[in-house]
Amino acid sequence: MGRYAIRRLLAMIPTLLAIYTITFFLMRATPGGPWDTNERGLPRQTLDALNAKYGLDKPLYQQYWDYLVGVVTRFDFGPSYKMTNRTVTDIVTDFLPVSIQLGLIAMTIALSVGLTLGIISALNQNKLADYIAMFIAIVGVSIPTFVIGPILVLIFAVQFRLLPTGGWSRPEHMILPAIVLALEPTALIARYTRSSMLEVIRQDYIRTARSKGLREIVIIVRHALRNALIPVITVGGVLLAVVVTGSFFVETIFGVPGIGRYFVSSIANRDYPVIMGTTLMLATIVTFMNLMVDLTYGFLDPRIRYD
Amino acid sequence: MRRFWSPRPTRFLASVALAAIVVAGCAPQQPGQTTTGGQAPGPTQQPAAAQELRYPIETVRTLDPSLATDNVSIDVITKIFDGLVDLTDDGKIAPQIAEKWEVSTDATKFTFTLRSNAKWSDGKQITADDFVFAFQRVLDPKTGSEYAKTIEVIKGGDKALKGEAPPTSISAKAVNPTTLEVETREPAAYFLALMSTWTAMPIRKDLLDKFGDKWINQGNIQTTGPFKLQEWVPDQRFVLVRNEEYWGQKPALTKITMRVFPDGPDQEGQILRAYEAGELDVTGKRDVPPSEVDRVMRDPVLSKEVAIFDQSRTTWVCVNNIKAPFSDVRVRKAMGMSLERDRLINQVLKQPLKPAEGVVPPGILGRQPNAWPKENLAEAKSLLAQAGYPDGRGFPEFTYLYNSSAANKAIAEYLQARWKEALGITMKLEAMDFPVLIPLRRGNKTYDSFRCSWGSDFEDPVNWYNTLFDSTADQTQQTTNWKNDRFDQLVRQAASERDPAKRQQMYEEADRLMAQDYFTIPVFFGAQRVLVKPYVKNYKVSRIAEGAALRQVSIQR
């Protein structure tokens, strides 16, 4: 298994290189440059000076290579063109931990609520409890965060003044964003759990367990849920990667200083190093989570081998 | 393998729940804050009559005056930096760090006498060298100052900016610590007004040498204004406190907490909700969002807290003066005269904007509003017919480019519908990202029309007539491809004219020429509808980029 993990880690290199290459040329092919974001267009000499300052006057292949070398040899992701006192590394180290913290809380909520809802509805298929749980799940995926977020703010912050409208310094600032961020993963996990549970509880070994006279809770938890978790883990791993790298809408609605909004603002600003840095960060986290998911399968199902 | 997996997943669920409690129990992670010891938590309810203001801002990019170009950064910078002089709302030059100045008769040499008691926030004296260094830095191409052009008129500035001469060769020198002497390349009557802008603020060389780009960070930065930076938590808040070293009258406010509302589609809504929840004392300079205007104006409490401030800003439609059918002045006039600006403003945009007859906003010298054509549908139709397009027949379909935003889209759709119904002409809309639009506007000779807008950097006619409309002015901005030799000649003369009466006359004649050629279609002048709690006194949003001036604000409960 160790060898498998190492092989997979090595396989990340060409993946990341491909992502770097595609992102580099896509962002440079996008019309408009980093200095075209101001109402006042810049005179030629200022443009030239800025391009020279950031090496944008060099041939494209040279820029492609220089940046890559900087990343690999010095772990240098470059300066932000727009935040004059910050580098990409500053931005990621400042804001990624916030997103991870919020994402982990949201994921915890999503797992506990989603699994519970999924199990309840599978065990009560086509009964009232099933309908209620699945209604909640559908609401969770179908109402966008930018609708539900402001509604919750209006109710809890403006109307009843129980929670702050946004910001990020006290624990109560986390409640609404964590709930809103958890909605979609909760719903997805609930639905995946339900369908795979339904499949599993019809299996022969469940009937065997029942006929052995095991208690229902033991059957559900030890025999059914564990086998039903594989598809849930698969989707959960990707959801976790997405959730810990921040959400543009949740972060802007609640004023959470996370990394998610930089995916959007860096593109709007044509802030090339920030686009590249955040993309590589996301790519690394997603590929790494996929590896983690694959390794988890072995724990859940001993029949899975990694040779 | 098996041993890693608890045979009783109930325990797993329990540990998940436990983890949730543990994680939720932590205080939120503070970005960019390395010191955590005893920091007071974010904005909370204030005790009565504390001279503290809670003010919203958006994403701040920099506090470096030499590099700032966006309204938000400038909003914070103008609270913590003073320059040589201030340009007051009625257009007068008031002393700030310079207590007096002399201007040579040909308006090319400016000698400023600095206050000997003007100090940086760390108590060091503000010297003429700090200004010389700032000017040299702005005009050094390596600095990459996007607003360098503003002070390029300093003698030698153009050469320095092109890299043909070292920045130290510009004609700005410190005769002694309190005497600053600057020469301009050509007579520049507006030079004093220019010295009020953020680009001309002093900078401390020792801080740059020591901290490099990070000289503006919390703890490193030293400033010259009535407030100073106490705390900067990136993307969260700025805390400004009164600068006790300030030479002049100290402001009443002791603390300003600026909460950052990140740029997003519902920013104004978020600011409004935070205001209604009692987390802000003002909505800053941001409008009440159009979807909330009716509710706010009907609300017995909120409607009394509404304040409207005019802005030195105009939005207009640029049309290509060298391309048919826009090359015909009758077509341009017909388009402008057929609009119903009141309806656009009150029913579509629901903003307190003012219909614009001309392109230069109130507050700028030279305006001749009466010279510009008035709204008149019958006459518009007849002009269009005279131009050869009766009821729009034969008028080619054309395109209007704009940078996408909810308001810009509403404006574009209004124009499209109105010109269709009033004149029978068809306009196609094309929305795009701002960085895509800007290069398209640059020196474009083949476009049809696009959205244009400009706000004063400083309220002087030179920032409009010369910066925008002189045909040799840098055509990267509001390209209409319009050229009128008499206009060019007038505004160039006016820029260097020292006699205010003559200068005004020249700009007035220039404005009449613009009206006569009607080279562009004015739509509206800017204004902001903000909310201010009744206990905040003397709150006023500035007409230019800098947000609200807070030095005269006080809290009276």
Side-chain angles (χ1 to χ4, degrees):
Chain A
M1 187 178 139
R3 213 187 268 169
Y4 172 79
I6 289 167
R7 212 166 59 224
R8 285 285 303 270
L9 283 173
L10 288 177
M12 277 171 72
I13 296 172
T15 310
L16 289 176
L17 193 65
I19 289 170
Y20 170 71
T21 309
I22 294 168
T23 309
F24 184 88
F25 289 104
L26 268 184
M27 78 184 180
R28 300 309 292 272
T30 310
W35 324 119
D36 294 323
T37 54
N38 203 303
E39 195 78 70
R40 163 172 260 184
L42 296 181
R44 192 74 251 166
Q45 60 224 52
T46 311
L47 272 176
D48 291 345
L50 282 164
N51 285 335
K53 180 175 174 183
Y54 293 106
L56 293 170
D57 53 344
K58 295 183 192 157
L60 208 55
Y61 65 87
Q62 181 82 42
Q63 294 180 41
Y64 172 88
W65 181 248
D66 287 352
Y67 189 86
L68 190 62
V69 168
V71 169
V72 173
T73 59
R74 299 187 303 274
F75 212 65
D76 175 8
F77 290 84
S80 163
Y81 296 161
K82 296 295 157 177
M83 306 278 172
T84 63
N85 61 335
R86 306 176 75 71
T87 63
V88 177
T89 310
D90 289 339
I91 290 174
V92 172
T93 50
D94 277 355
F95 303 130
L96 181 62
V98 173
S99 290
I100 290 179
Q101 189 182 17
L102 184 64
L104 285 179
I105 298 169
M107 210 51 200
T108 313
I109 298 173
L111 273 177
S112 23
V113 179
L115 283 175
T116 314
L117 284 179
I119 295 168
I120 291 173
S121 54
L123 298 182
N124 299 284
Q125 197 190 0
N126 297 331
K127 291 186 198 148
L128 185 65
D130 182 22
Y131 294 141
I132 292 174
M134 284 306 109
F135 176 75
I136 296 173
I138 284 178
V139 167
V141 271
S142 47
I143 301 186
T145 48
F146 55 83
V147 173
I148 195 85
I151 290 177
L152 292 180
V153 169
L154 274 179
I155 297 172
F156 292 101
V158 179
Q159 200 60 40
F160 296 110
R161 297 205 180 184
L162 294 171
L163 294 167
T165 59
W168 194 256
S169 48
R170 298 186 307 271
E172 59 262 40
H173 281 133
M174 306 172 105
I175 298 173
L176 289 179
I179 291 172
V180 172
L181 191 57
L183 280 176
E184 196 183 335
T186 305
L188 287 171
I189 289 170
R191 292 211 67 104
Y192 272 96
T193 310
R194 177 179 182 270
S195 60
S196 80
M197 274 295 276
L198 282 175
E199 201 175 298
V200 169
I201 52 179
R202 295 197 185 102
Q203 299 288 322
D204 288 346
Y205 58 85
I206 299 292
R207 204 176 310 132
T208 312
R210 285 228 167 85
S211 62
K212 281 201 308 192
L214 289 180
R215 280 188 301 133
E216 188 65 15
I217 181 79
V218 178
I219 297 169
I220 297 305
V221 170
R222 190 186 295 175
H223 296 279
L225 180 61
R226 190 166 156 208
N227 284 297
L229 274 182
I230 288 193
V232 179
I233 295 283
T234 309
V235 59
V238 178
L239 283 177
L240 183 62
V242 170
V243 162
V244 298
T245 48
S247 150
F248 171 73
F249 284 111
V250 170
E251 288 174 11
T252 51
I253 290 168
F254 296 102
V256 176
I259 194 79
R261 63 172 89 143
Y262 280 88
F263 290 103
V264 179
S265 67
S266 62
I267 295 171
N269 290 331
R270 304 290 190 272
D271 199 342
Y272 298 143
V274 182
I275 299 178
M276 188 52 85
T278 49
T279 307
L280 288 179
M281 175 201 75
L282 177 66
T284 311
I285 293 176
V286 170
T287 43
F288 190 74
M289 282 313 298
N290 278 335
L291 172 60
M292 288 294 114
V293 166
D294 287 350
L295 293 180
T296 318
Y297 292 154
F299 293 95
L300 290 175
D301 187 344
R303 287 170 302 182
I304 296 175
R305 293 268 178 269
Y306 295 102
D307 328 304
Chain B
M1 289 284 166
R2 191 156 255 275
R3 66 204 141 94
F4 292 107
W5 171 250
S6 157
R8 287 184 205 85
T10 38
R11 207 185 282 165
F12 163 71
L13 287 181
S15 62
V16 166
L18 186 68
I21 294 162
V22 171
V23 181
C26 314
Q29 175 90 26
Q30 295 286 317
Q33 210 181 29
T34 43
T35 51
T36 48
Q39 281 283 0
T44 47
Q45 292 296 321
Q46 306 174 358
Q51 293 298 319
E52 299 181 10
L53 186 79
R54 294 165 304 170
Y55 179 92
I57 46 163
E58 296 107 77
T59 306
V60 173
R61 291 175 180 169
T62 183
L63 293 185
D64 190 331
S66 312
L67 300 179
T69 58
D70 63 299
N71 293 352
V72 188
S73 303
I74 294 163
D75 193 347
V76 186
I77 288 170
T78 51
K79 309 287 172 291
I80 56 178
F81 277 96
D82 266 1
L84 287 169
V85 295
D86 187 28
L87 184 60
T88 60
D89 255 1
D90 51 4
K92 300 230 161 56
I93 304 287
Q96 237 170 15
I97 294 172
E99 63 183 331
K100 55 181 200 251
W101 50 86
E102 273 169 45
V103 183
S104 67
T105 43
D106 60 349
T108 57
K109 190 170 168 192
F110 300 79
T111 311
F112 299 91
T113 306
L114 275 52
R115 292 170 202 277
S116 53
N117 61 342
K119 289 185 184 129
W120 289 90
S121 45
D122 61 354
K124 250 182 109 172
Q125 193 187 343
I126 303 170
T127 65
D129 282 312
D130 298 328
F131 285 94
V132 172
F133 175 68
F135 298 165
Q136 290 175 351
R137 179 167 176 255
V138 168
L139 291 168
D140 183 346
K142 286 199 208 68
T143 308
S145 167
E146 295 183 38
Y147 259 46
K149 189 95 180 157
T150 321
I151 61 165
E152 186 217 26
V153 71
I154 295 176
K155 201 174 177 181
D158 48 347
K159 285 211 179 69
L161 206 50
K162 281 184 197 135
E164 290 166 5
T168 45
S169 67
I170 63 167
S171 286
K173 63 172 186 282
V175 177
N176 60 51
T178 56
T179 310
L180 172 70
E181 219 176 76
V182 185
E183 282 178 84
T184 56
R185 183 177 60 224
E186 57 196 25
Y190 56 92
F191 187 73
L192 287 173
L194 219 138
M195 287 295 106
S196 72
T197 61
W198 59 95
T199 317
M201 302 287 171
I203 305 274
R204 277 266 289 275
K205 185 171 185 298
D206 58 323
L207 300 180
L208 253 134
D209 289 344
K210 192 165 164 199
F211 302 112
D213 286 342
K214 302 207 185 283
W215 78 271
I216 54 176
N217 285 18
Q218 167 191 337
N220 299 351
I221 190 171
Q222 300 300 341
T223 56
T224 58
F227 297 100
K228 61 177 181 179
L229 181 75
Q230 185 186 53
E231 191 189 15
W232 175 357
V233 188
D235 280 7
Q236 277 198 74
R237 65 178 172 273
F238 290 81
V239 179
L240 309 186
V241 292
R242 189 157 69 185
N243 175 10
E244 300 300 338
E245 300 284 349
Y246 191 59
W247 59 269
Q249 198 192 344
K250 295 188 180 66
L253 292 175
T254 55
K255 184 177 170 187
I256 304 167
T257 305
M258 298 179 155
R259 173 162 146 199
V260 177
F261 288 78
D263 302 336
D266 187 33
Q267 200 172 32
E268 288 162 350
Q270 284 151 33
I271 293 175
L272 179 64
R273 287 191 288 275
Y275 177 84
E276 287 190 63
E279 296 169 11
L280 293 173
D281 301 314
V282 292
T283 58
K285 58 173 178 180
R286 292 307 295 250
D287 264 313
V288 174
S291 57
E292 300 274 17
V293 166
D294 292 335
R295 179 180 68 83
V296 167
M297 299 311 280
R298 274 199 310 267
D299 186 294
V301 178
L302 290 177
S303 60
K304 291 201 182 61
E305 299 172 1
V306 166
I308 290 174
F309 298 100
D310 289 340
Q311 299 287 295
S312 187
R313 168 170 281 282
T314 314
T315 296
W316 66 96
V317 179
C318 283
V319 289
N320 190 347
N321 280 240
I322 54 169
K323 183 176 178 183
F326 312 105
S327 47
D328 188 331
V329 65
R330 291 169 297 191
V331 168
R332 302 195 294 266
K333 281 189 176 162
M335 290 170 75
M337 291 165 77
S338 63
L339 296 179
E340 294 175 322
R341 294 170 177 81
D342 270 323
R343 252 180 75 190
L344 168 67
I345 290 166
N346 297 320
Q347 292 172 27
V348 181
L349 299 174
K350 295 192 175 178
Q351 284 177 296
L353 310 161
K354 305 278 182 301
E357 62 298 299
V359 79
V360 175
I364 302 290
L365 206 73
R367 295 181 73 239
Q368 294 289 290
N370 291 327
W372 290 75
K374 300 272 171 298
E375 289 176 9
N376 183 335
L377 184 55
E379 209 186 317
K381 284 184 154 175
S382 111
L383 279 171
L384 194 67
Q386 285 169 35
Y389 309 102
D391 295 321
R393 279 196 297 278
F395 199 94
E397 188 180 275
F398 67 101
T399 310
Y400 174 77
L401 313 176
Y402 67 99
N403 48 312
S404 35
S405 82
N408 291 350
K409 181 163 185 268
I411 297 165
E413 285 170 352
Y414 167 81
L415 294 172
Q416 182 185 45
R418 179 62 190 166
W419 281 331
K420 184 85 205 172
E421 76 171 8
L423 301 177
I425 62 182
T426 307
M427 177 166 92
K428 273 194 315 189
L429 305 184
E430 215 173 294
M432 54 190 68
D433 219 4
F434 207 34
V436 181
L437 178 60
I438 292 270
L440 277 181
R441 293 203 316 204
R442 198 177 288 146
N444 194 332
K445 305 247 182 262
T446 57
Y447 76 99
D448 296 326
S449 69
F450 45 62
R451 174 188 176 272
C452 280
S453 175
W454 181 255
S456 298
D457 295 316
F458 54 103
E459 285 191 277
D460 188 277
V462 79
N463 198 229
W464 288 82
Y465 297 97
N466 299 69
T467 306
L468 299 180
F469 306 126
D470 182 331
S471 68
T472 58
D474 188 47
Q475 286 287 317
T476 56
Q477 296 160 8
Q478 321 284 350
T479 325
T480 54
N481 298 316
W482 172 66
K483 190 171 186 310
N484 181 319
D485 293 331
R486 174 74 188 139
F487 175 90
D488 286 351
Q489 189 195 347
L490 272 170
V491 297
R492 277 171 224 165
Q493 266 176 14
S496 53
E497 177 57 57
R498 283 203 68 207
D499 179 348
K502 272 196 206 150
R503 187 165 188 249
Q504 177 161 356
Q505 262 175 19
M506 290 177 196
Y507 279 124
E508 282 172 356
E509 193 187 335
D511 203 80
R512 281 193 294 273
L513 290 174
M514 295 204 298
Q516 185 191 311
D517 284 359
Y518 206 74
F519 67 106
T520 203
I521 300 162
V523 185
F524 54 75
F525 300 128
Q528 308 285 112
R529 181 191 279 117
V530 301
L531 293 165
V532 183
K533 296 274 187 200
Y535 51 79
V536 179
K537 305 296 177 196
N538 293 327
Y539 185 81
K540 202 170 162 212
V541 176
S542 154
R543 285 207 299 261
I544 61 169
E546 59 191 31
L550 298 179
R551 64 181 82 202
Q552 79 292 348
V553 170
S554 63
I555 307 288
Q556 286 166 31
R557 297 195 195 236

